Amino acid sequence: MDLSSFMDGLSLSLQPINIMWIIVGGFLGTIVGMLPGLGPATAVAVLIPVTFGMSPVSAIILMAAIYYGAMYGGSRSSILLNTPGDGSAIAATFDGYPMARKGQAGPALAISAVASFIGGTIAVIGFIFLAEPLANFALDFGPAEYFLLMLLTLSAIVVLSIGKMVKGFLAMMVGLALSTIGIDTQTGVYRFTMGIPQLSEGIDFLIVIIGVYAIGEVLYNLLNIDQMKKEKKKVGKVWFSKEQWKRSVWPILRSGPLGFVVGVLPGAGGSIASMIGYTTEKQISKRSDEFGEGAVEGLAAPESANNAASVGAMIPLLTMGIPGSGTTAVMLGALIMLGLRPGPLLFEQQPETAWALINSMFLGNIALVIINILLVGVLVKILDTPAKVLYPIIVLLAFIGTYTLSYSTVDFFLLLIFGFVGLMMKVLDFPIAPLVLALIVGSDMEQNFRMAVLSSGGNLGVFFSSGVSIALSILTLLSLTYPFIIRMIRKRKQHLNSKDQVYRSS
Amino acid sequence: MKAIKLGFPILLILFSIVFLIASLQLPKANLGNSNAPIYFPAGISVFMLLFGVIYLIQELRTLHEENGDIRQMLSGRTPKLIGITILFGLIYAFIFERVGFLLSTFLFLGGLLFVINGRKKWLVNVIVAVCFSFVSWYAFSQLLGVSLP
């Protein structure tokens, strides 16, 4: 770790204006994250326009605060309404909601905030020590390694769409197809622009992101808008007992590093981290029978894991420019728009920006734990705001955000098209993250592929020419075959079990 | 419901075929390998076609299975709500620069609120539309320096 860059980053993030953005972002993110159906990706996408006109450092600090705020917010609605704000908050419903039903909403909210804080802090410490070595390692990457890394990221995110891999691949292909629209940077050939000048620079992925996440989510939520019930919750005392703390502390400390590691892996996000955290605790707990009935450790563990994962997910984004999840993909888009190019060179050329962001994660966690404990009553009131009023406002914010990207209403039509695409994808159960990720990395992936082939004189062996490229190729192959291997093992186990039963019964 | 379940994969297959034909008709590059800009999109369309066919077969196998979301999307006032939201979006796109941010935003937001939140809550709708239009105009154009029409 470069101590002087670290201190520069710390002093930047401690500037009063940036502290203010951490608090504002944390608060706004918590609010959007609390709204059912709107997760961190939507929160960042909808609030991108708020960063316009700001310095890049303040903007990324604000976006990170929105991200973590939304992670906290997602759990609020899980605990109080049994409605997770996003996938990573699902595990919080298992024991958080039963706690709230038992009249322990206050302790549940408090333990979730503290667990998130500790998990996030553990991950920030991991980040401080891992980010720079990883960035230095990434500096040795050539076009072939970058192409393979992007391929691994895409395959990992598709494979994680468990049970809907074909749809994941299709979403990825559509995203890659969209990424080819515009001028080919290596040859200057116009591709699929259909004579429309606005398409010569390609489709702005932020429009796609805002469309599929914000408009798509709102349209999808219109499906059940008349069935949405308002449920007022009493919060009661907002702190936990000594006994509850004793039961939670080890699950929190165990799940933090676990979540961080899962978060660093491309494609594996908060949802997987929180589920792993939950199931691990359930397996090792002496009170496993209480899980699902309001066991405090069943809430603390996934909360610690998912916040740690959200910090971990920033590592591949900042050090290699590879977003590992839908939310980090949205953030990558926003960072590029701000003139920042995440990747190994970020730490070389703008170390203070990178370190300011890392420090702001820690400060953001402190701000969020305070916001979420002190303002629980206020935040809960937001859940009383009718969805029928909120959704039109979100649609409007999406339009304003799109307009501010290029000051052209032509983009409104694209926004509506992608909003409808987002709705259909949700209705037909297509994963959205592969589409967004493929659209973002697609162009770079193609260019790196072609550069690698060009530099090797057309020899495809370039993709197996170094230790890193061989390792990445093996990992990609493993990630693609993993579900089939698991299925085969399960089938074999079932077959053996049934044979055993037949043998015993005879 | 069956039309949507089958229509989407067929649409994807058609899209991949059109995309493949368009890829093969791309202009040749003057620099380096003349076919270089064609390989990637053509490869994508072949994979898209392959997965599109697999998806179609999967849908054919599960055609009888109920999809609650599709049923919900086609029932009650949901199609009307989705249609009107998109229609209002289109109208907003047409009037945004012609009548200016404040008026168009008020009309758009107010209209959406009347449709989604109902006419009975007209007072809430009007207050929210007026306040939010003004607050968003002030926040974006005055505080954030975004140039709005």
Side-chain angles (χ1 to χ4, degrees):
Chain A
M1 183 180 68
D2 180 358
L3 197 65
S4 69
S5 300
F6 176 82
M7 292 311 288
D8 286 347
L10 184 64
S11 67
L12 253 178
S13 57
L14 278 173
Q15 282 178 0
I17 184 79
N18 290 332
I19 297 272
M20 187 195 82
W21 287 128
I22 288 170
I23 295 167
V24 170
F27 191 73
L28 289 176
T30 306
I31 290 170
V32 182
M34 275 167 64
L35 306 176
L38 305 175
T42 313
V44 179
V46 167
L47 296 171
I48 280 172
V50 179
T51 63
F52 293 159
M54 292 167 59
S55 75
V57 172
S58 299
I60 55 172
I61 284 175
L62 177 65
M63 274 187 292
I66 292 169
Y67 180 14
Y68 304 131
M71 298 292 293
Y72 274 77
S75 314
R76 314 288 92 188
S77 51
S78 284
I79 293 166
L80 294 166
L81 297 179
N82 201 26
T83 313
D86 77 313
S88 58
I90 290 171
T93 61
F94 302 162
D95 283 284
Y97 186 63
M99 279 181 79
R101 287 187 68 179
K102 284 183 194 168
Q104 295 182 342
L109 291 168
I111 205 80
S112 128
V114 172
S116 300
F117 168 71
I118 298 174
T121 307
I122 290 171
V124 172
I125 295 166
F127 200 131
I128 288 170
F129 290 102
L130 273 181
E132 217 166 353
L134 266 174
N136 289 333
F137 172 65
L139 276 174
D140 295 332
F141 275 36
E145 284 82 6
Y146 263 114
F147 167 75
L148 289 167
L149 185 64
M150 287 169 192
L151 195 66
L152 172 64
T153 307
L154 286 180
S155 65
I157 207 143
V158 168
V159 169
L160 288 173
S161 324
I162 298 159
K164 39 188 177 180
M165 263 179 74
V166 171
K167 290 177 180 176
F169 273 114
L170 272 169
M172 184 182 92
M173 293 302 161
V174 172
L176 289 174
L178 291 173
S179 77
T180 60
I181 295 173
I183 303 172
D184 174 32
T185 48
Q186 284 188 30
T187 58
V189 169
Y190 279 70
R191 297 193 294 188
F192 316 113
T193 55
M194 294 170 280
I196 303 168
Q198 282 91 344
L199 289 181
S200 61
E201 284 182 28
I203 293 178
D204 191 329
F205 45 76
L206 282 169
I207 297 170
V208 180
I209 286 166
I210 298 175
V212 292
Y213 279 111
I215 303 273
E217 290 277 2
V218 170
L219 291 178
Y220 181 72
N221 282 313
L222 290 180
L223 266 57
N224 298 306
I225 194 114
D226 292 329
Q227 283 88 51
M228 283 181 184
K229 284 179 189 162
K230 247 173 53 176
E231 203 176 337
K232 288 205 173 182
K233 287 279 171 191
K234 276 188 179 173
V235 177
K237 194 180 157 195
V238 190
W239 203 243
F240 39 83
S241 65
K242 247 187 189 172
E243 166 67 12
Q244 283 172 324
W245 173 245
K246 263 188 181 172
R247 285 176 59 173
S248 309
V249 64
W250 281 108
I252 292 171
L253 294 175
R254 273 191 293 264
S255 301
L258 193 70
F260 174 69
V261 174
V262 174
V264 174
L265 301 174
S271 318
I272 291 168
S274 58
M275 291 306 288
I276 291 177
Y278 185 82
T279 47
T280 308
E281 279 313 314
K282 193 177 174 183
Q283 277 166 359
I284 61 173
S285 173
K286 287 175 192 161
R287 297 184 172 104
S288 60
D289 53 317
E290 287 179 29
F291 275 64
E293 306 290 329
V296 69
E297 51 270 65
L299 171 66
E303 286 297 275
S304 171
N306 80 24
N307 259 55
S310 67
V311 176
M314 301 288 278
I315 286 194
L317 173 72
L318 289 182
T319 59
M320 295 177 195
I322 303 287
S325 65
T327 316
T328 45
V330 177
M331 286 188 73
L332 174 64
L335 292 176
I336 292 171
M337 189 192 66
L338 288 162
L340 291 168
R341 186 79 210 182
L345 291 176
L346 183 72
F347 282 82
E348 263 196 5
Q349 293 167 351
Q350 290 168 298
E352 69 290 346
T353 307
W355 285 105
L357 175 62
I358 295 168
N359 281 298
S360 81
M361 290 177 192
F362 179 66
L363 298 173
N365 262 309
I366 296 175
L368 280 161
V369 78
I370 295 169
I371 289 170
N372 277 274
I373 288 174
L374 292 183
L375 301 179
V376 159
V378 179
L379 292 171
V380 169
K381 286 255 180 313
I382 291 157
L383 285 177
D384 294 338
T385 313
K388 290 178 178 180
V389 173
L390 278 169
Y391 290 139
I393 290 173
I394 290 165
V395 172
L396 176 70
L397 282 173
F399 272 99
I400 302 174
T402 303
Y403 183 75
T404 48
L405 292 175
S406 61
Y407 299 103
S408 162
T409 50
V410 173
D411 293 341
F412 285 8
F413 300 108
L414 284 174
L415 182 77
L416 288 167
I417 291 169
F418 285 108
F420 190 71
V421 169
L423 166 72
M424 291 312 292
M425 287 180 81
K426 288 205 74 112
V427 164
L428 295 167
D429 206 17
F430 269 78
I432 291 175
L435 171 101
V436 173
L437 277 177
L439 176 62
I440 291 178
V441 303
S443 178
D444 280 347
M445 198 173 158
E446 180 188 3
Q447 301 309 327
N448 277 305
F449 176 81
R450 281 162 59 183
M451 275 194 284
V453 174
L454 199 69
S455 64
S456 67
N459 180 9
L460 291 176
V462 68
F463 296 107
F464 308 96
S465 59
S466 69
V468 176
S469 59
I470 291 169
L472 288 168
S473 302
I474 292 170
L475 282 173
T476 307
L477 200 68
L478 275 178
S479 81
L480 287 172
T481 51
Y482 168 79
F484 302 105
I485 295 169
I486 293 290
R487 203 181 297 166
M488 269 173 60
I489 293 170
R490 273 192 196 144
K491 266 191 179 173
R492 197 167 167 75
K493 261 188 182 173
Q494 273 176 353
H495 181 68
L496 285 174
N497 279 346
S498 59
K499 254 189 167 179
D500 193 38
Q501 273 177 353
V502 170
Y503 176 75
R504 280 183 189 187
S505 61
S506 65
Chain B
M1 189 189 297
K2 283 180 184 172
I4 292 180
K5 281 188 90 173
L6 283 182
F8 206 65
I10 290 170
L11 197 73
L12 277 167
I13 290 172
L14 286 175
F15 176 70
S16 47
I17 292 170
V18 170
F19 196 70
L20 178 62
I21 295 167
S23 304
L24 297 174
Q25 287 177 346
L26 280 172
K28 306 272 181 197
N30 296 323
L31 298 163
N33 182 346
S34 59
N35 288 322
I38 298 171
Y39 295 139
F40 197 73
I44 291 165
S45 42
V46 169
F47 276 110
M48 202 171 8
L49 184 61
L50 181 73
F51 283 109
V53 172
I54 298 171
Y55 176 38
L56 179 65
I57 294 167
Q58 279 186 347
E59 289 297 282
L60 280 169
R61 277 184 185 165
T62 58
L63 203 57
H64 58 281
E65 282 177 19
E66 186 87 344
N67 180 325
D69 280 346
I70 297 179
R71 199 188 57 231
Q72 193 77 34
M73 193 176 74
L74 300 173
S75 62
R77 65 176 194 136
T78 314
K80 190 178 138 193
L81 283 181
I82 293 171
I84 289 180
T85 305
I86 293 173
L87 180 71
F88 279 12
L90 291 172
I91 296 170
Y92 189 50
F94 279 114
I95 64 168
F96 189 75
E97 280 172 340
R98 289 182 175 87
V99 301
F101 177 84
L102 267 176
L103 184 58
S104 62
T105 301
F106 167 73
L107 291 172
F108 174 64
L109 187 57
L112 265 188
L113 282 164
F114 267 95
V115 173
I116 295 174
N117 200 27
R119 277 180 228 163
K120 282 182 191 168
K121 294 178 182 164
W122 64 271
L123 188 62
V124 175
N125 298 343
V126 171
I127 292 172
V128 171
V130 169
C131 293
F132 202 80
S133 302
F134 182 76
V135 168
S136 56
W137 169 80
Y138 185 78
F140 283 98
S141 72
Q142 305 300 306
L143 295 180
L144 298 169
V146 173
S147 166
L148 293 171

